[in-house]
Amino acid sequence: TVFAAASLTNALTDLGKAFQSQSGIPVKFSFAASGALAKQIQAGAPADVFASADSKWMDYLYDKGKIDADTRVDLLGNTLVLVAPQGKGFKVHMAKGFDFATAFSGKLCTGVVDSVPVGIYAKEAMTKLGWWDSIRYRVVGTEDVRAALNLVERGECGAGIVYETDAKQSKKVEVVAKFPADTHAKIVYPFALVKQSGDAEKFLDFLKTKQASEVFLMYGFTLQPR
Amino acid sequence: MMLTEEEISALLLSLKVSLWCVAVTLPPGVLLGWVLARFQFAGKAVIEAVLHMPLVLPPVVIGYVLLLAFGANGWLGYWLAELFDIRVAFTWKGAAIASAVMGFPLMVRAVRLSMSLVDPRLELAASTLGAGRLRVFLTITLPLAAPGILTGAILSFARSLGEFGATITFVGNIEGETRTLPLALYTYTQTPGMDEPAVRLVLISLAVALVALVASEILGRRAESRLLGE
Amino acid sequence: MMLTEEEISALLLSLKVSLWCVAVTLPPGVLLGWVLARFQFAGKAVIEAVLHMPLVLPPVVIGYVLLLAFGANGWLGYWLAELFDIRVAFTWKGAAIASAVMGFPLMVRAVRLSMSLVDPRLELAASTLGAGRLRVFLTITLPLAAPGILTGAILSFARSLGEFGATITFVGNIEGETRTLPLALYTYTQTPGMDEPAVRLVLISLAVALVALVASEILGRRAESRLLGE
Amino acid sequence: MLSLDVDINRGRFRLEARVEFEEGVSGLFGRSGSGKSTLLNVIAGVIDPDRGRVVLDGETLFDSEKGLCVPSHRRRIGFVFQDSQLFPHYTVKGNLLYGWKQTPPRERRFKLDDVVDLLAIGHLLDSHPRRISGGEKQRVALGRALLASPRMLLLDEPLAALDQSLKEQILPFMRRVRDELGLPMVYVSHSLPEILYLTDQLTLIAGGRILGSGPLHTLLDAEQIRSEDRLGLDNSLAVTIESHDAEGGCTFGIFQGRRLALPFRSALMPGDRVYVSVHRTEVALGKSFVEGLSIQNQLPGRIVSIDSAGDSVQIVADVGVLLRAEITQRAYRDMALREGDAVNCLIKATSFSYLTLDEGDEKAARSLDRSVIEMTSQVH
Amino acid sequence: MLSLDVDINRGRFRLEARVEFEEGVSGLFGRSGSGKSTLLNVIAGVIDPDRGRVVLDGETLFDSEKGLCVPSHRRRIGFVFQDSQLFPHYTVKGNLLYGWKQTPPRERRFKLDDVVDLLAIGHLLDSHPRRISGGEKQRVALGRALLASPRMLLLDEPLAALDQSLKEQILPFMRRVRDELGLPMVYVSHSLPEILYLTDQLTLIAGGRILGSGPLHTLLDAEQIRSEDRLGLDNSLAVTIESHDAEGGCTFGIFQGRRLALPFRSALMPGDRVYVSVHRTEVALGKSFVEGLSIQNQLPGRIVSIDSAGDSVQIVADVGVLLRAEITQRAYRDMALREGDAVNCLIKATSFSYLTLDEGDEKAARSLDRSVIEMTSQVH
Ligand SMILES: Nc1ncnc2c1ncn2[C@@H]1O[C@H](COP(=O)(O)OP(=O)(O)OP(=O)(O)O)[C@@H](O)[C@H]1O
Ligand SMILES: Nc1ncnc2c1ncn2[C@@H]1O[C@H](COP(=O)(O)OP(=O)(O)OP(=O)(O)O)[C@@H](O)[C@H]1O
Ligand SMILES: [Mg+2]
Ligand SMILES: [Mg+2]
């Protein structure tokens, strides 16, 4: 069973099917928030592979000795982007000193800034850019990226900070700007085996193949250089 | 146990939201409970289905539906904003609405249950004493259904205290505005190593619930003793 | 509307989980409801508080608590596995447990409410006719509380149909095993452009709820008419 | 005054009632399950008939053809329910005042204190309705209905659970209510004396149908009423009041040209026509007129039938009307009575009961009550 | 047989009852609110007294000192509640059979059909308890208690809502139950005749205290009982049965050496001591012995007091016991009676009622019932 962050749902579902038809090994997925998955694994869940949406939960399991550290691999990456409802784009200058707060009206949606990975990255980036204090009370924390994106799509929020993968899938938002990579920690999706098993290892290897990479790319993930 | 500023803010917000939620749902809940208990009409099943939606669908979906209705572009939201200049999206009022919607079926079912057990002959007796429909309702039906109303209120209050999914979807998690106890708690559970503050929040929630339960218990015993004598 | 294989699997799973959940909570729910309605004892407030925990705390927390208790390392889980070779974590049984826990307070409160409205004099009358405690309970108290038990069952069923947070936290989101309707719905919402299947799932949930409600309505009217005569 | 023509189906039971209740008190009399309570429910508007009309004082309360139905709270018809129906969430006092509070002060006709005193429920005012005795409940229900100052009162066996002395306290009061307030009532009771104490206007009901309605004597004469549905009254005489003998404790009446000594009743006026009855066991027979007896009335007549069934002999004598006497076999044998023989019917003045009762002073009412209660013996 | 010594506080009301109920039927008589129902509740184990003991047939049912309390379902004491307490979720039939089903077949003493026929509730079997009339409810409650085949029966005004003819049907049956099954009962009623039809063992209760208990005549003689708490009975005579005159419809008894003609009661044996009573209005006075009357009894005596209050004159004559007669002022004047005068008290044989009732055949029971109902006149 593969325990994977919810944001990997469609990509992994497709790949799972492909792998199954090729190898004949059945794959099962459990998609949920990384934190929930990590805690389940910690509690002894029958997971073979863990695909986290950030390093933090992988580290957590690593600390607890629940994963096979050798197999850990940062397979995918992503880019943090600032979006606005379609047609409501605004000019933004990704630099310190830019008066971000007045650049748009309404709220800024992103994941919950203390816990949801995208929110954590967003807070980090905005803090780096010196925007945080002025925007802090306009930040709407959501449960996950999709919820944030949804709010922007519906025009409830004037702006949002999401992953590029998600922004790409939506026709109702426009990307206003990408956050420079140096404004936040690297966005990575670490994968690891929870316990040694031949089949799981095969699947993990399969994810590293070109065929898999294409699927990931198709869904907008970036590949982490290995 | 000293509370941190954050905890206090979440606690107060939760209390505000929950109390408002109960206050707001009580009148329509009682009314609807009464209607459902006492009348048979076409389309009742539809009302029932709609009423139970917040139970049957995952909270996130309800939150989303609320967003559609009350959001800036939603018709209800637009209407509220235009007419009363009330904005509910992303405010504690929205959180109260989300809680109210989630707790509403519980309230209605409890009220309905106790109303359906009120002996209609007592209502008829009251009417032979000159009490009109409204008066009968207020002086007979309502007090006799008090235990159910109380149960409904406490269920709705408790549900509201724990409401997470619909709230975060509808009004998000905004510090000081909509970060209720469960939302604060969520934050902690999503962060490795934050177990201790999470446990603190759990205890705070339980303490609030305990106080509410004890209060309702006392009220309930009083209501029951009024019905059964001493 | 044809259902896809995935939808059918989620639907059947949800039905299985919900029905089990009701079946499993009914006996202890009725018993506890009766105890709470009829007895005053020290520590009652504590029981009440524990009982309402699933309402007061966000579902995720409850799910986590269940995970700790029933997980492979949890004492309950260990015990179940050792003694009965039953594994609940990450199986549909776990999902049923999660739903059961979440719906339990609703069940108990409804039962308790209607039990507290049963006239004790009827129970006394039964005992003068030679019926012992158990028999009085089974033949008088229980049938007279039927409307409340039914309400409790339907609330617990509906709650179970919509249960998301505790389930995903406790047993994960595994297709065919624990991916109930709400979890399937969640999975879709995590996927861009899957609005249409999401709406289909919502409609399926509502349809199930409607059927359950209509059934309970019919049963309920029968129970009421037994109490009030036609 | 109140006219009903209603049909209603209640499962097995079908009520088809066509009846007029006159001003004043009407007694409703019938066996258990005959439809008395159902009829009262229809009048009060507590249940609606399937078909028909209910008209009170010219005001149509219900008319199925016109689709008209005055709701019960606007009928102002007080209802003392058979099973009292007290509100469990009010104290006794709260129950008593429930209707009172909804009555405009100028329309109130009773004072709480008076009613409470009369019904002897002062010590219960703060009690909970579930915590009082059966008879206490019935009294509270009666008080509650009275205090709502209705324009009509329906009483469904209001005194059934009360002891004799409470009845004797409450009945005269009900009579005062009838006379002083002119409050019309429909009074259901299985105790004919109780009814007759308040009225001689009776309505007989059986199996959901009205058998007859009107003054007692017309019911007694009505041929279509089967004997089992009769009230069991025999020996009632129509008497015209002649004079009083206050010291003698007698009122004299003329029956078929003959003077009868009756119990004293000052309220009766010479010329009044009243009905008196005497139970057959209280009629003694003599061969001829006897002197020196405290028995005041000796009605000469002729034996028309003798029925010696069982221990006792039923003798019917024609003294103008047919008078039934019940004597022992032994007396019958000793006296060697035969059909056609002349006999004297001996009846004590105090053995007569008035069927038509009029107001008297409290004392009279008391003793009247006595005589009324005696009448129980004539009902079976 | 059943001995009680209990105290119980219920709010304002305090019951302090120390009483023994003998075998057979015991009547419990007292005003509304005097504690009758409370007492029955204690016996049935429905409420527990604060202090005391309840012993039935040597078995301790409750003992506060020993901390013993047999729960009500193991007492097998049937209880006909004043407010019937039918189970709303069972049909009438379900109610009737509730206790029956829990009785081991060999202990069942009644058949459903018999009870249903007797109570005339056959047409109601499938009805819902909420949809039957007040009297019907009472009958079902009685049937339900009987069908549970209890070893003792508590009846709380079981016939209060019934019409006379139903009472006449049910009372003889209860008497058969008493005699044929030897089922002990405690019978509460506000109707003394009803009680006396079943027993002359009475317990008087007032304000939560037992005033007295025992055969009626001992209560009548008991000096400590205030007159308002008395049953209102006067003129009761202890008679020893001498012989029967079946054709004459008379039973003869000896009262103070004098022969009295009484209503025929075949079940009485020569030598039996019974109590008969006669109401004061049925006692006529004559100056001397009169011939040619259907009146069989003429008791010579002497006037001991004359009380001419109101319309009527109360005369007490000493005929061995004190006999009260009520005559009109006029008769009094005409006869010029004075204290100390010799008088003859004239009493029809049929005017006597037996206070001690024994089993008779059905027919006798019927007519007995009549005479019992006549006795209502003596209660007030
Ligand atoms: N709510 C009801 N629904 C259907 N039938 C009923 C209902 N109430 C009474 N009945 C039936 O209607 C008939 C008349 O009942 P009702 O109560 O009018 O009798 P009643 O004359 O008042 O008798 P009682 O003297 O015993 O009170 C009875 O046969 C009874 O079984
Ligand atoms: N449950 C109760 N709690 C407290 N007091 C009660 C309760 N039931 C009755 N009482 C009071 O106790 C007294 C005796 O009541 P009980 O019912 O024994 O009277 P009763 O003799 O049966 O009268 P009735 O003839 O009116 O039925 C009354 O004054 C009543 O108010
Ligand atoms: Mg009735
Ligand atoms: Mg009583």
Side-chain angles (χ1 to χ4, degrees):
Chain A
T1 310
V2 178
F3 276 35
S7 46
L8 296 166
T9 303
N10 39 5
L12 284 187
T13 309
D14 288 359
L15 288 169
K17 281 185 191 138
F19 175 72
Q20 195 163 332
S21 63
Q22 281 172 25
S23 65
I25 302 168
V27 207
K28 276 191 184 173
F29 291 101
S30 180
F31 295 110
S34 308
L37 295 171
K39 287 189 174 151
Q40 287 167 359
I41 292 169
Q42 152 76 7
D48 300 305
V49 178
F50 177 42
S52 172
D54 61 2
S55 316
K56 153 185 98 166
W57 285 110
M58 193 58 92
D59 294 344
Y60 168 83
L61 285 181
Y62 173 78
D63 290 344
K64 307 267 179 193
K66 288 286 174 184
I67 53 164
D68 183 350
D70 300 340
T71 59
R72 174 169 172 169
V73 54
D74 291 343
L75 206 53
L76 306 173
N78 217 331
T79 313
L80 203 59
V81 295
L82 183 66
V83 295
Q86 190 67 339
K88 297 239 178 85
F90 50 90
K91 281 225 150 36
V92 71
H93 188 49
M94 284 289 171
K96 256 196 163 122
F98 175 74
D99 188 2
F100 182 59
T102 55
F104 69 102
S105 63
K107 306 272 186 190
L108 175 76
C109 298
T110 187
V112 177
V113 295
D114 306 311
S115 53
V116 178
V118 72
I120 297 172
Y121 295 130
K123 179 177 174 184
E124 191 183 355
M126 288 189 288
T127 311
K128 264 246 171 76
L129 292 168
W131 299 349
W132 177 247
D133 289 335
S134 59
I135 200 83
R136 179 171 184 174
Y137 293 99
R138 281 166 66 191
V139 173
V140 176
T142 61
E143 202 180 353
D144 50 46
V145 194
R146 304 241 20 110
L149 188 67
N150 182 37
L151 287 174
V152 181
E153 282 180 350
R154 299 203 37 81
E156 299 294 341
C157 290
I161 300 173
V162 298
Y163 296 130
E164 193 173 16
T165 42
D166 301 284
K168 266 194 183 164
Q169 305 284 337
S170 171
K171 297 194 179 63
K172 295 188 202 133
V173 299
E174 55 187 66
V175 174
V176 175
K178 291 187 185 184
F179 282 90
D182 61 359
T183 53
H184 56 83
K186 220 162 41 161
I187 304 174
V188 291
Y189 290 80
F191 286 57
L193 286 188
V194 177
K195 49 181 187 264
Q196 286 296 346
S197 99
D199 291 347
E201 206 168 340
K202 275 187 205 143
F203 181 64
L204 196 53
D205 286 341
F206 173 74
L207 293 182
K208 296 173 189 163
T209 61
K210 182 121 193 308
Q211 185 193 356
S213 304
E214 275 166 9
V215 173
F216 284 130
L217 285 172
M218 188 182 86
Y219 283 106
F221 294 98
T222 60
L223 295 180
Q224 282 302 110
R226 249 158 285 144
Chain B
M1 183 165 96
M2 285 292 296
L3 301 183
T4 68
E5 207 175 302
E6 244 188 310
E7 285 165 354
I8 291 177
S9 134
L11 172 62
L12 291 180
L13 184 63
S14 261
L15 282 179
K16 179 158 80 171
V17 165
S18 298
L19 291 175
W20 262 98
C21 156
V22 172
V24 164
T25 45
L26 210 46
V30 167
L31 208 69
L32 186 56
W34 177 69
V35 169
L36 291 177
R38 281 296 154 84
F39 302 96
Q40 301 298 335
F41 47 88
K44 191 169 170 182
V46 175
I47 292 190
E48 296 257 11
V50 172
L51 171 70
H52 287 78
M53 258 177 65
L55 277 179
V56 171
L57 298 178
V60 175
V61 173
I62 302 301
Y64 185 66
V65 170
L66 286 176
L67 195 60
L68 294 184
F70 286 99
N73 307 323
W75 57 276
L76 264 170
Y78 177 81
W79 190 77
L80 276 178
E82 283 294 299
L83 290 180
F84 305 103
D85 199 28
I86 297 177
R87 261 156 244 281
V88 293
F90 305 126
T91 64
W92 69 267
K93 288 175 205 130
I97 290 182
S99 292
V101 167
M102 296 305 289
F104 197 60
L106 307 184
M107 166 84 80
V108 172
R109 291 286 332 202
V111 171
R112 172 186 176 168
L113 178 56
S114 62
M115 292 247 175
S116 74
L117 296 177
V118 170
D119 190 342
R121 290 175 305 177
L122 288 176
E123 298 172 338
L124 290 171
S127 79
T128 66
L129 293 166
R133 277 220 161 194
L134 180 67
R135 190 170 214 109
V136 169
F137 181 75
L138 293 177
T139 59
I140 308 293
T141 320
L142 212 55
L144 287 177
I149 296 171
L150 194 68
T151 298
I154 192 74
L155 282 179
S156 153
F157 181 82
R159 184 77 184 80
S160 168
L161 267 187
E163 212 314 289
F164 167 72
T167 307
I168 196 167
T169 310
F170 179 32
V171 295
N173 178 342
I174 305 167
E175 214 183 312
E177 181 70 37
T178 63
R179 188 177 298 173
T180 55
L181 285 171
L183 268 59
L185 191 50
Y186 174 75
T187 304
Y188 291 136
T189 62
Q190 295 304 307
T191 317
M194 292 300 258
D195 292 346
E196 193 253 348
V199 169
R200 283 170 61 99
L201 282 184
V202 165
L203 292 180
I204 293 171
S205 294
L206 287 181
V208 172
L210 194 65
V211 170
L213 283 171
V214 168
S216 87
E217 194 74 356
I218 290 169
L219 277 176
R221 222 171 299 161
R222 209 177 288 171
E224 248 173 61
S225 79
R226 273 187 82 190
L227 295 189
L228 300 174
E230 272 138 303
Chain C
M1 186 167 93
M2 284 292 296
L3 301 183
T4 68
E5 207 176 304
E6 250 187 309
E7 284 165 354
I8 290 178
S9 132
L11 172 62
L12 290 181
L13 185 62
S14 261
L15 282 179
K16 180 159 79 171
V17 165
S18 300
L19 291 175
W20 263 98
C21 154
V22 172
V24 164
T25 44
L26 211 45
V30 166
L31 208 69
L32 185 56
W34 176 69
V35 169
L36 291 177
R38 282 296 154 83
F39 302 96
Q40 301 298 336
F41 47 88
K44 191 169 170 181
V46 174
I47 293 192
E48 297 257 10
V50 171
L51 172 70
H52 287 79
M53 257 177 66
L55 277 180
V56 171
L57 298 178
V60 175
V61 173
I62 301 301
Y64 187 58
V65 171
L66 288 176
L67 190 60
L68 293 182
F70 284 98
N73 312 323
W75 57 277
L76 264 171
Y78 177 80
W79 190 78
L80 277 179
E82 283 294 299
L83 289 182
F84 305 103
D85 198 28
I86 297 177
R87 263 155 243 283
V88 295
F90 307 105
T91 64
W92 69 268
K93 288 176 205 129
I97 290 182
S99 291
V101 168
M102 296 306 288
F104 197 61
L106 307 183
M107 166 83 81
V108 172
R109 292 286 332 200
V111 171
R112 173 187 176 166
L113 177 57
S114 61
M115 293 248 175
S116 74
L117 296 177
V118 170
D119 190 340
R121 289 175 307 175
L122 288 176
E123 298 171 337
L124 291 172
S127 79
T128 66
L129 293 166
R133 277 222 160 189
L134 179 67
R135 189 169 216 110
V136 168
F137 180 75
L138 293 177
T139 59
I140 307 293
T141 321
L142 211 55
L144 287 176
I149 295 170
L150 194 67
T151 298
I154 192 75
L155 283 177
S156 152
F157 181 82
R159 183 77 184 79
S160 168
L161 267 188
E163 212 315 291
F164 168 73
T167 306
I168 199 170
T169 312
F170 178 30
V171 293
N173 174 6
I174 305 168
E175 198 187 334
E177 184 69 39
T178 63
R179 188 174 296 170
T180 56
L181 286 171
L183 268 62
L185 193 49
Y186 168 76
T187 310
Y188 286 138
T189 61
Q190 290 304 317
T191 317
M194 293 299 257
D195 290 350
E196 194 252 349
V199 169
R200 283 169 60 99
L201 282 184
V202 165
L203 293 180
I204 292 171
S205 295
L206 288 181
V208 172
L210 194 66
V211 170
L213 283 171
V214 168
S216 87
E217 193 74 358
I218 290 170
L219 278 176
R221 223 172 296 160
R222 210 176 289 172
E224 250 174 58
S225 79
R226 275 187 82 190
L227 295 189
L228 300 174
E230 273 139 304
Chain D
M1 214 270 305
L2 173 65
S3 101
L4 277 122
D5 174 1
V6 292
D7 292 355
I8 181 168
N9 264 319
R10 304 188 91 184
R12 291 177 332 282
F13 182 74
R14 183 166 172 78
L15 179 76
E16 290 181 0
R18 255 148 295 275
V19 61
E20 307 267 330
F21 292 105
E22 302 301 321
E23 284 291 344
V25 180
S26 302
L28 186 54
F29 198 74
R31 298 195 55 172
S32 170
S34 56
K36 304 180 295 298
S37 301
T38 307
L39 191 66
L40 295 198
N41 275 292
V42 168
I43 299 172
V46 166
I47 53 175
D48 292 333
D50 299 330
R51 196 209 62 72
R53 283 162 56 84
V54 180
V55 181
L56 175 62
D57 280 336
E59 181 191 348
T60 304
L61 298 180
F62 181 89
D63 190 330
S64 62
E65 275 173 30
K66 298 209 190 106
L68 184 102
C69 179
V70 177
S72 51
H73 66 277
R74 281 208 250 105
R75 297 194 181 183
R76 297 201 48 219
I77 298 179
F79 197 159
V80 181
F81 293 87
Q82 196 169 5
D83 48 356
S84 60
Q85 300 287 4
L86 300 183
F87 304 132
H89 55 305
Y90 285 105
T91 59
V92 164
K93 189 172 176 183
N95 269 280
L96 289 170
L97 291 180
Y98 187 87
W100 188 82
K101 282 185 185 151
Q102 276 158 79
T103 312
R106 2 178 304 144
E107 290 179 24
R108 290 180 189 155
R109 295 160 140 198
F110 299 93
K111 286 209 205 86
L112 178 66
D113 291 347
D114 295 349
V115 169
V116 163
D117 282 352
L118 168 82
L119 299 172
I121 47 179
H123 59 300
L124 301 172
L125 285 182
D126 297 324
S127 293
H128 190 281
R130 285 229 178 170
R131 314 232 146 215
I132 63 179
S133 82
E136 287 164 353
K137 277 181 196 147
Q138 239 182 355
R139 284 178 271 163
V140 175
L142 176 59
R144 183 176 73 170
L146 286 172
L147 283 165
S149 303
R151 61 169 166 164
M152 179 172 190
L153 202 52
L154 308 176
L155 302 136
D156 203 349
E157 306 189 29
L159 309 181
L162 300 187
D163 56 89
Q164 210 56 45
S165 58
L166 272 167
K167 282 189 194 176
E168 284 175 25
Q169 190 169 333
I170 296 172
L171 272 174
F173 173 79
M174 295 311 292
R175 202 144 72 157
R176 280 220 313 281
V177 168
R178 175 193 72 183
D179 298 326
E180 289 170 20
L181 304 182
L183 186 64
M185 311 181 196
V186 178
Y187 193 100
V188 173
S189 171
H190 289 301
S191 159
L192 190 60
E194 218 179 283
I195 297 182
L196 289 176
Y197 183 80
L198 293 172
T199 185
D200 77 328
Q201 293 287 332
L202 284 183
T203 298
L204 281 190
I205 185 169
R209 280 159 195 278
I210 305 294
L211 295 180
S213 182
L216 178 60
H217 66 282
T218 64
L219 292 180
L220 291 174
D221 294 344
E223 302 228 328
Q224 75 276 16
I225 303 176
R226 291 173 310 166
S227 69
E228 62 186 274
D229 294 325
R230 279 185 182 284
L231 308 177
L233 278 176
D234 39 25
N235 296 346
S236 69
L237 314 179
V239 175
T240 309
I241 298 301
E242 186 211 55
S243 64
H244 294 296
D245 173 5
E247 296 131 65
C250 277
T251 290
F252 294 104
I254 304 297
F255 165 71
Q256 308 243 342
R258 248 181 228 101
R259 201 161 179 250
L260 290 184
L262 306 170
F264 181 64
R265 201 90 330 135
S266 65
L268 294 174
M269 287 296 148
D272 284 358
R273 236 177 108 82
V274 297
Y275 293 87
V276 294
S277 88
V278 59
H279 193 259
R280 61 181 185 274
T281 56
E282 291 184 46
V283 178
L285 298 179
K287 284 258 180 196
S288 56
F289 190 86
V290 187
E291 293 285 346
L293 279 186
S294 70
I295 299 174
Q296 301 268 309
N297 301 298
Q298 306 201 17
L299 287 174
R302 199 161 287 279
I303 295 181
V304 293
S305 79
I306 298 177
D307 175 11
S308 94
D311 318 328
S312 56
V313 181
Q314 311 289 331
I315 293 175
V316 181
D318 184 351
V319 295
V321 294
L322 299 182
L323 207 59
R324 247 160 288 255
E326 180 177 322
I327 62 176
T328 60
Q329 290 281 2
R330 186 158 177 273
Y332 168 58
R333 225 173 35 206
D334 284 358
M335 293 177 71
L337 295 173
R338 234 169 293 243
E339 278 185 26
D341 282 5
V343 283
N344 254 16
C345 296
L346 284 67
I347 306 169
K348 291 188 69 178
T350 50
S351 290
F352 279 112
S353 310
Y354 290 90
L355 294 183
T356 322
L357 298 172
D358 266 76
E359 202 206 351
D361 59 341
E362 189 72 340
K363 173 92 192 38
R366 279 293 180 115
S367 75
L368 206 57
D369 202 22
R370 271 276 309 107
S371 74
V372 153
I373 286 154
E374 281 162 33
M375 285 192 49
T376 314
S377 43
Q378 290 153 318
V379 188
H380 71 121
Chain E
M1 214 269 307
L2 173 65
S3 101
L4 277 122
D5 174 2
V6 292
D7 292 356
I8 180 168
N9 264 317
R10 306 188 88 183
R12 293 176 332 283
F13 181 76
R14 184 165 171 79
L15 178 76
E16 291 180 358
R18 253 149 297 274
V19 61
E20 306 267 331
F21 292 105
E22 300 301 319
E23 282 293 343
V25 181
S26 301
L28 186 55
F29 198 74
R31 298 196 54 170
S32 170
S34 57
K36 303 180 295 298
S37 301
T38 307
L39 192 65
L40 295 198
N41 274 290
V42 168
I43 299 172
V46 166
I47 52 177
D48 292 333
D50 299 330
R51 195 208 62 73
R53 282 163 54 85
V54 180
V55 181
L56 173 62
D57 280 336
E59 180 191 348
T60 305
L61 298 180
F62 181 90
D63 190 329
S64 61
E65 276 173 30
K66 298 209 191 107
L68 184 103
C69 178
V70 177
S72 51
H73 67 276
R74 280 209 252 107
R75 297 194 182 183
R76 297 202 47 219
I77 297 180
F79 198 158
V80 180
F81 293 87
Q82 197 169 5
D83 48 356
S84 58
Q85 301 286 5
L86 300 184
F87 304 131
H89 56 305
Y90 285 105
T91 59
V92 164
K93 189 171 175 185
N95 270 279
L96 288 171
L97 292 180
Y98 187 87
W100 188 82
K101 283 185 185 151
Q102 276 157 80
T103 313
R106 3 179 305 143
E107 290 180 24
R108 290 177 189 156
R109 294 161 141 196
F110 299 93
K111 286 210 206 86
L112 177 67
D113 291 348
D114 295 348
V115 169
V116 163
D117 283 351
L118 168 84
L119 299 171
I121 47 179
H123 59 300
L124 301 172
L125 287 182
D126 297 323
S127 293
H128 191 282
R130 285 228 177 171
R131 314 232 145 213
I132 62 178
S133 81
E136 289 163 351
K137 276 181 198 149
Q138 239 182 355
R139 283 179 272 163
V140 176
L142 176 57
R144 183 175 70 170
L146 284 173
L147 282 165
S149 304
R151 62 169 166 166
M152 178 173 191
L153 201 52
L154 309 175
L155 300 135
D156 203 348
E157 305 190 30
L159 308 181
L162 299 187
D163 55 89
Q164 210 55 44
S165 56
L166 272 168
K167 282 189 195 176
E168 284 176 24
Q169 190 169 334
I170 296 171
L171 273 175
F173 173 79
M174 296 308 292
R175 203 145 69 162
R176 279 219 313 280
V177 168
R178 175 195 71 183
D179 297 326
E180 290 171 18
L181 304 182
L183 186 64
M185 312 182 196
V186 178
Y187 194 102
V188 172
S189 171
H190 289 300
S191 159
L192 190 59
E194 219 178 282
I195 297 182
L196 290 179
Y197 182 80
L198 293 172
T199 186
D200 78 328
Q201 293 287 333
L202 285 182
T203 298
L204 282 189
I205 185 171
R209 278 160 197 278
I210 305 294
L211 294 180
S213 183
L216 178 61
H217 67 279
T218 63
L219 292 179
L220 291 173
D221 295 344
E223 303 230 323
Q224 76 276 16
I225 303 177
R226 293 173 310 165
S227 70
E228 63 185 275
D229 293 327
R230 278 186 182 280
L231 308 176
L233 279 177
D234 37 26
N235 296 344
S236 67
L237 314 179
V239 175
T240 309
I241 298 301
E242 185 211 53
S243 63
H244 295 296
D245 173 4
E247 294 132 65
C250 279
T251 290
F252 294 103
I254 304 298
F255 166 71
Q256 309 242 341
R258 250 181 227 101
R259 201 159 178 256
L260 288 184
L262 306 169
F264 180 64
R265 202 88 329 137
S266 63
L268 295 174
M269 287 294 145
D272 284 359
R273 234 176 108 84
V274 298
Y275 294 86
V276 293
S277 92
V278 59
H279 193 258
R280 59 183 186 273
T281 57
E282 292 182 46
V283 177
L285 299 179
K287 285 260 180 196
S288 57
F289 190 85
V290 186
E291 292 285 344
L293 278 184
S294 69
I295 300 174
Q296 302 268 309
N297 302 298
Q298 305 201 19
L299 289 174
R302 199 160 288 280
I303 295 180
V304 292
S305 81
I306 297 178
D307 176 12
S308 99
D311 319 328
S312 55
V313 183
Q314 312 289 330
I315 291 175
V316 180
D318 185 350
V319 296
V321 293
L322 299 181
L323 208 58
R324 246 160 288 257
E326 180 177 322
I327 60 176
T328 61
Q329 290 283 359
R330 186 154 177 275
Y332 170 56
R333 225 171 37 206
D334 285 358
M335 295 177 70
L337 296 173
R338 232 168 296 246
E339 281 183 24
D341 282 3
V343 283
N344 254 15
C345 296
L346 284 68
I347 305 169
K348 291 187 69 181
T350 51
S351 292
F352 279 113
S353 310
Y354 289 92
L355 294 184
T356 320
L357 297 173
D358 264 77
E359 203 207 349
D361 59 340
E362 188 70 339
K363 173 95 197 25
R366 280 291 179 115
S367 74
L368 205 58
D369 201 23
R370 271 276 308 104
S371 73
V372 154
I373 286 153
E374 279 162 35
M375 283 193 50
T376 315
S377 44
Q378 291 154 313
V379 187
H380 70 121

